[in-house]
Amino acid sequence: MGRLSGKVAIITGAARGMGASHARLFVEQGARVVLTDLNVAGGEALAKELGDNAMFVAHDVTKPESWETVVAKAVAAYGTIDILVNNAGILGPMAPTAELDNDGYDLVCAVNQHSVFYGMKAVLPVMVKAARGSIVNISSIAGMAANYGFPSLAYVASKFAVRGMTKATAMEYGKHNIRVNSVHPGFIQTPMMVEATDEVGGEALAQIPLGRIAQPIEVSNVVLFLASDESSYVTGAEHLVDAGMLAH
Ligand SMILES: NC(=O)c1ccc[n+]([C@@H]2O[C@H](COP(=O)([O-])OP(=O)(O)OC[C@H]3O[C@@H](n4cnc5c(N)ncnc54)[C@H](O)[C@@H]3O)[C@@H](O)[C@H]2O)c1
């Protein structure tokens, strides 16, 4: 019996990186998973590989109407939604505040922050009806502190916001048996990180008590716990997966 047997999950940004890792683990643990992404080719290929318990829906998380389509397709295919993982995100332009262009700022906030509102708003009616649910919002260490070498006010603003939005919604929906938590990864080996930095070494590694970057599965294991009934008394909380970076 899998740790997510009988559950239905939506995972955004599931075509690659951590989202793909979460999707693989969720299916392995018995969930039926709706993978969503802008990247149609990547998302469809992964859903096919994962078999009968996975489907892909093309999705732009910044568009509320796109969320309506995802929720309608998930409910039509699998009957309900137990879990939402708001994972899609972008690093966006990295520039000091005075040089950050307005469009870049708006885009980062739309993808990383506004999407979390649209997503929670879209799935909550289904979860309230079922009187259960777990929402996992992916923030970052940049949602806890601003000094980790990424000079982008936009990224930090969006990830701090996700942390607060998580707590606000957890407070409101606890009475419906719906839990909402945020996850704060440190340095994780994904295409996003590889595209942003040629390699993480020297100074950056010295900031990490465990002395290494993580593989996506090391975050997926925490997301799995929060998605599952094993975390039944855990809500409104921040979960660092940062090898101790913020412990100083
Ligand atoms: N990699 C890290 O070190 C790290 C650290 C902290 C937090 N995070 C966060 O973890 C999450 C996943 O990051 P990752 O490293 O796997 O990134 P990634 O770039 O490898 O994957 C992100 C996925 O999101 C999708 N996406 C982007 N914009 C979208 C949109 N508008 N609608 C739908 N899908 C969209 C992309 O197509 C991609 O498949 C992000 O929220 C990121 O901010 C990453």
Side-chain angles (χ1 to χ4, degrees):
M1 179 103 165
R3 291 162 69 189
L4 296 180
S5 283
K7 297 207 186 283
V8 176
I10 295 172
I11 303 176
T12 68
R16 70 177 202 181
M18 279 187 262
S21 171
H22 304 337
R24 286 179 200 283
L25 184 61
F26 277 30
V27 169
E28 201 182 293
Q29 290 299 329
R32 286 171 294 169
V33 179
V34 179
L35 293 78
T36 86
D37 207 291
L38 280 179
N39 175 351
V40 174
E44 278 180 344
L46 180 57
K48 194 169 166 208
E49 181 195 319
L50 293 177
D52 290 345
N53 287 331
M55 63 185 267
F56 173 75
V57 180
H59 184 201
D60 181 346
V61 294
T62 68
K63 303 267 187 301
E65 62 276 13
S66 189
W67 273 104
E68 281 169 27
T69 305
V70 169
V71 167
K73 287 191 174 178
V75 172
Y78 297 142
T80 192
I81 300 163
D82 301 291
I83 299 158
L84 169 64
V85 183
N86 274 313
N87 164 79
I90 57 171
L91 206 46
M94 291 194 276
T97 301
E99 291 156 38
L100 188 62
D101 72 86
N102 296 352
D103 289 345
Y105 173 84
D106 287 345
L107 180 64
V108 171
C109 289
V111 178
N112 294 358
Q113 175 190 343
H114 301 169
S115 67
V116 170
F117 165 55
Y118 301 144
M120 293 196 294
K121 187 173 173 177
V123 301
L124 278 165
V126 180
M127 291 181 173
V128 167
K129 201 167 150 202
R132 65 172 187 271
S134 173
I135 298 174
V136 183
N137 294 326
I138 307 299
S139 176
S140 167
I141 49 170
M144 306 289 291
N147 63 344
Y148 285 92
F150 296 106
S152 170
L153 161 145
Y155 192 77
V156 170
S158 67
K159 294 302 189 179
F160 263 75
V162 168
R163 184 174 152 215
M165 292 157 75
T166 297
K167 291 182 187 298
T169 309
M171 295 285 290
E172 291 167 357
Y173 285 86
K175 61 178 177 284
H176 295 287
N177 190 33
I178 296 166
R179 299 179 296 102
V180 192
N181 289 282
S182 58
V183 170
H184 300 258
F187 285 147
I188 319 299
Q189 183 83 40
T190 68
M192 176 193 275
M193 205 192 71
V194 171
E195 284 161 14
T197 52
D198 290 340
E199 64 177 296
V200 175
E203 218 179 291
L205 282 184
Q207 296 178 51
I208 307 175
L210 288 181
R212 63 176 179 85
I213 60 171
Q215 293 306 307
I217 186 70
E218 298 182 273
V219 179
S220 302
N221 285 328
V222 176
V223 174
L224 167 64
F225 169 70
L226 294 171
S228 78
D229 294 338
E230 293 162 18
S231 56
S232 54
Y233 204 60
V234 181
T235 195
E238 298 123 354
H239 304 271
L240 282 165
V241 190
D242 71 341
M245 279 179 77
L246 296 191
H248 60 85

